Every structure is written in C-alpha cells, then in structure tokens.
Amino acid sequence: GNDFDTRTTKQIYNDLKKTDKEVSVKVAPTAYLKLGDLEIYPLSGVSNSKTVYQNENGYYMIYRSDRYGFNNPDEEWDSEEIEYLLIGDSFAHGAAVNRPDDIASQLRILSSKNVLTIGYSANGPLTEYAALREYAPKNIKNIIWLFTENDIRGLGYELENKILIKYLKNLKFTQTLKSRQEEIDRLARKMMSISSNKVQKFEFFRFLKIYEIRKLLLKQDQISEIYSLKNPTELIKILRLTKEYTENIDAKFYFVYLPYEKFFDKNYNLSNYEGIKKIIKNLNINFIDINNVFDREDNPLDLFPFKMAGHYNPDGYRKVAKEIFDLTI
C-alpha cells in the first residue's frame, strides 16, 4: 500500500542521464580496497555530480555532490567556521534519504550553522581517519564520528591496503586528495563503466558495502572473528590518533554509537557494544549513545524503512541529529 519506485539503479541512472550527461552513481572507497596497483586511493566519489544512491524508503537517494565528491551543499566548504564535521560510513553519508533528512542537514537546521560530512558508504575506521587527515578544515568546533558496529568488519582489509596503512605509519603522510579531484573523478567513472558492463542490473552500486564484499570473500567463522573485537589494538590506535588530531586543531571529539545490528541480527553479541563503550571510556572520548533514542520509542523499528532492515528513515535520522545537537551544545 506504499508508493515505491520499482526501477533498478541502472534504469534510474539511464533516465537521469537523458537530461544530465554528468550524472553518476555512488562509488564507495571500498571499491578500490583490493586493487593493489593504484597510485591513488580515493576517499570520496565523483564531484559536482547528480549522484544516485540506493532505494530503501520507497524513493532513490539522489544528491548533488560537492567539489570533493561528498554529500554536502558545495558552499559549506567556503565557511569561515564549521560547527560540526561528520566522519563515518553510510549513516554519515546520509544513506537512503534526501536532504534535508540526513544527519548533516538536520544539524545545519538545528544549529543554524555550517556542517560538513566527509562520511562515505562502507567506510571503515582507517578510511574514516584518512578522510579526516585529507579533508578536514582547520576551523572546526566539533568532530562527530558516527559509528556502527559493522564499521570494524572491514578494518582487516583496510590494514592490508598499501596506501591506507601509510596513514597509521606516518603522521605526515598525505595523498593531497583535495588537489587531485580530477583523478578521483576519472577513476570513479572508470569503475562505473567496468561495473556496468559486468553487472547487468547495476546492483554492484546499489549494494557496494563491506558487508556484501565480506560475505563473498570470507567464511562465516572468519567474519565472526573479525567482528568479535578480540584484538582491538589497531582500532584503539586509530581512535587515539583521531582524538589527538582533534585536540591539535582545538576541536571537540564525540564518538556517536548508532544501534543497528541488535534489531536484525539474531546472533547479535552484546559484548561488542560493551567492548566499544569500554574502549571509548578508557580513551576519555566523549560518548553519545543513540541507544537512548531508540529506547524512548514504543517500537524502535518505526525508525527504519518500512520497519525492515536498512538505514534509518527520515524520522530516525532527525531524532539522531536532535540527540547529537542536544548533547553537544
């Protein structure tokens, strides 16, 4: 009984291309993880382009990317001061909703100030830290790390990437990505072309997430081992470096835990949540627990698309943004 756009990603891409030749689809940084011969590792998508993401709420998420390929109004980069800078994965990207329903847009409305997100679909902790090093302006008041437990599942792959690992080994390392957007655009469009030829329905782009890649490459017991947080050494190091980075630019650092897995994974392990909380407490990082938002709901599934597994719906994103705003003002 609900309106739902039944077109595939390829169909809507082709429809949009009839009036906009520069339209693109989301190409996540994880698309490059296993390509070891690259001279550059992009941390964003195609710039200044109408970009098609997936459909979870009955309509396609479509946004115009900024000068660096992120989901922001481009003029936000010209601001003298940034109230909030968001890092993270698809939740920071704004997956499944259009502006102004994403977290970054809602924080702009609530604060009446400038907000940037450099989050991107399927990012893991090392990619998020690298994006901070490459793109963060120096005039930031609050850095918000939006975290879901599946972020850590791809950390093993990130640590094996010859470019990403340099961000941990050398605190002065940079790819100078802000000045290399033309290279990033060309590479992303090449990935679009290759994947369009290989995958008839364009589902590569619709479901290009570490979760999907992981299922193809790992056995279930290996997945559980990576996800168990039994050896959090590298995650702790990344968090510590992120905290030090924020302190060096006189910003405040907030770690925001976004619940998701526990609602849809019958094998969900509460110890992962407790382990993350303990790590954040030991590092003396500000912790915002969005479980509190869901606990106030009569039915937490009301905050998900059609009460099904997915990213949050507009109401869910708005409530998350309100909690962040209330706890950071």
Side-chain angles (χ1 to χ4, degrees):
N2 295 293
D3 291 333
F4 199 97
D5 191 334
T6 58
R7 289 175 294 176
T8 65
T9 309
K10 183 174 182 179
Q11 287 172 331
I12 195 167
Y13 170 78
N14 287 335
D15 287 346
L16 291 172
K17 200 167 184 179
K18 293 174 183 177
T19 57
D20 185 350
K21 298 299 182 182
E22 299 303 313
V23 67
S24 66
V25 297
K26 176 261 300 177
V27 180
T30 48
Y32 310 101
L33 264 179
K34 308 300 286 188
L35 304 180
D37 58 343
L38 295 179
E39 294 183 359
I40 182 175
Y41 189 92
L43 301 175
S44 63
V46 179
S47 64
N48 299 311
S49 171
K50 184 179 289 184
T51 306
V52 182
Y53 204 155
Q54 66 222 40
N55 176 0
E56 295 180 29
N57 284 295
Y59 53 86
Y60 275 88
M61 174 190 173
I62 302 172
Y63 64 93
R64 179 159 293 279
S65 58
D66 62 27
R67 68 191 68 174
Y68 300 123
F70 296 108
N71 182 14
N72 298 293
D74 189 67
E75 62 272 13
E76 292 293 301
W77 289 99
D78 299 323
S79 306
E80 292 185 2
E81 184 175 71
I82 302 299
E83 185 71 14
Y84 295 101
L85 178 78
L86 275 55
I87 61 174
D89 65 355
S90 48
F91 286 89
H93 195 163
V97 299
N98 290 316
R99 300 176 198 159
D101 294 326
D102 59 293
I103 294 174
S105 295
Q106 284 298 303
L107 286 172
R108 290 186 195 105
I109 293 170
L110 290 166
S111 66
S112 299
K113 295 180 180 179
N114 301 104
V115 178
L116 283 170
T117 179
I118 53 174
Y120 215 95
S121 171
N123 278 355
L126 183 51
T127 303
E128 292 158 5
Y129 172 61
L132 186 68
R133 291 257 298 269
E134 291 286 347
Y135 290 102
K138 301 302 181 184
N139 53 346
I140 305 166
K141 290 186 66 177
N142 302 289
I143 292 177
I144 309 293
W145 185 329
L146 298 174
F147 176 86
T148 55
E149 288 184 18
N150 65 358
D151 289 359
I152 60 176
R153 290 176 173 172
L155 182 55
Y157 293 123
E158 292 178 324
L159 293 169
E160 293 173 358
N161 184 274
K162 68 177 185 179
I163 296 178
L164 286 178
I165 193 63
K166 292 180 181 179
Y167 289 97
L168 282 188
K169 293 183 175 180
N170 182 357
L171 297 185
K172 294 184 179 181
F173 172 73
T174 178
Q175 298 184 75
T176 61
L177 293 182
K178 281 187 174 182
S179 64
R180 302 177 72 181
Q181 191 60 44
E182 289 185 6
E183 293 178 67
I184 294 170
D185 288 352
R186 285 197 299 270
L187 188 55
R189 290 194 179 279
K190 183 177 181 180
M191 292 294 291
M192 288 168 51
S193 177
I194 292 172
S195 300
S196 179
N197 291 333
K198 286 185 177 180
V199 186
Q200 184 177 3
K201 292 186 178 181
F202 240 48
E203 295 307 302
F204 175 87
F205 296 110
R206 189 174 182 185
F207 298 111
L208 183 56
K209 301 172 70 173
I210 279 182
Y211 176 74
E212 298 298 324
I213 297 172
R214 188 181 71 256
K215 287 198 300 184
L216 294 174
L217 299 179
L218 294 177
K219 295 179 180 179
Q220 188 61 44
D221 58 343
Q222 292 174 305
I223 293 171
S224 298
E225 183 67 22
I226 288 176
Y227 190 31
S228 66
L229 275 181
K230 289 182 179 179
N231 184 16
T233 304
E234 299 299 334
L235 175 62
I236 292 172
K237 181 176 181 180
I238 293 168
L239 286 165
R240 182 181 292 115
L241 288 173
T242 303
K243 181 185 178 185
E244 291 174 359
Y245 182 94
T246 60
E247 290 172 345
N248 288 338
I249 63 172
D250 293 324
K252 294 181 180 178
F253 180 32
Y254 294 89
F255 184 92
V256 180
Y257 180 91
L258 300 174
Y260 168 80
E261 301 281 343
K262 72 176 185 179
F263 297 110
F264 303 107
D265 184 353
K266 63 180 180 180
N267 297 317
Y268 175 72
N269 187 351
L270 183 62
S271 65
N272 293 315
Y273 164 69
E274 297 295 342
I276 290 295
K277 281 183 64 176
K278 183 178 180 180
I279 290 171
I280 300 304
K281 181 179 179 181
N282 290 342
L283 291 173
N284 197 27
I285 295 171
N286 298 307
F287 185 74
I288 297 178
D289 191 350
I290 300 300
N291 277 302
N292 296 328
V293 173
F294 286 81
D295 290 344
R296 293 194 289 265
E297 295 293 309
D298 292 332
N299 183 1
L301 295 186
D302 287 339
L303 304 183
F304 291 91
F306 304 106
K307 301 182 181 181
M308 298 170 63
H311 297 88
Y312 303 148
N313 60 27
D315 192 35
Y317 276 122
R318 283 193 292 269
K319 291 185 177 183
V320 169
K322 182 65 164 55
E323 186 80 354
I324 293 171
F325 177 73
D326 287 346
L327 295 177
T328 56
I329 55 175

